[in-house]
Amino acid sequence: MHAYVRHPLTYTWMLLALATVTSWMLGLEQHVQNARPSAWVVGSILLVALFKCRVVMRNYMEVRHSPGWLRWACDAWLLLNLVMITAFYWPAAT
């Protein structure tokens, strides 16, 4: 049992759970104050989602041990998705 608790992926899972709760609290707090979420809240939730995706890619998909070009390609893909989602959402939210 102690081997599971001390495994690095357990700490990664706890970090992902904390990030999930953080983004949920951001969205919940904004929803209580206003029916329409602000662009800054959505942007911060998207950044938390980007962080979570990167952690999953690096630790669970074993991209951490892959060649450098693949790590850069995965990070570029995540950044491209963030830019595209932001570009489509931001004009509608402001």
Side-chain angles (χ1 to χ4, degrees):
M1 180 69 178
H2 293 291
Y4 292 123
V5 174
R6 295 183 185 190
H7 197 275
L9 290 181
T10 303
Y11 297 118
T12 303
W13 176 80
M14 284 190 239
L15 180 68
L16 290 169
L18 180 66
T20 300
V21 170
T22 302
S23 62
W24 177 71
M25 292 297 283
L26 281 170
L28 182 65
E29 182 177 325
Q30 181 63 31
H31 181 67
V32 169
Q33 294 176 0
N34 189 359
R36 184 174 168 196
S38 72
W40 297 106
V41 171
V42 173
S44 61
I45 291 172
L46 284 174
L47 285 176
V48 171
L50 177 82
F51 169 75
K52 287 173 57 176
C53 289
R54 191 169 191 269
V55 167
V56 167
M57 278 184 173
R58 293 287 172 135
N59 294 306
Y60 291 107
M61 296 174 69
E62 299 296 332
V63 174
R64 178 178 31 161
H65 302 296
S66 64
W69 65 268
L70 185 59
R71 289 192 304 264
W72 281 98
C74 288
D75 288 343
W77 181 77
L78 285 173
L79 190 62
L80 177 68
N81 280 314
L82 178 70
V83 167
M84 286 182 2
I85 290 170
T86 304
F88 286 126
Y89 178 77
W90 206 271
T94 55

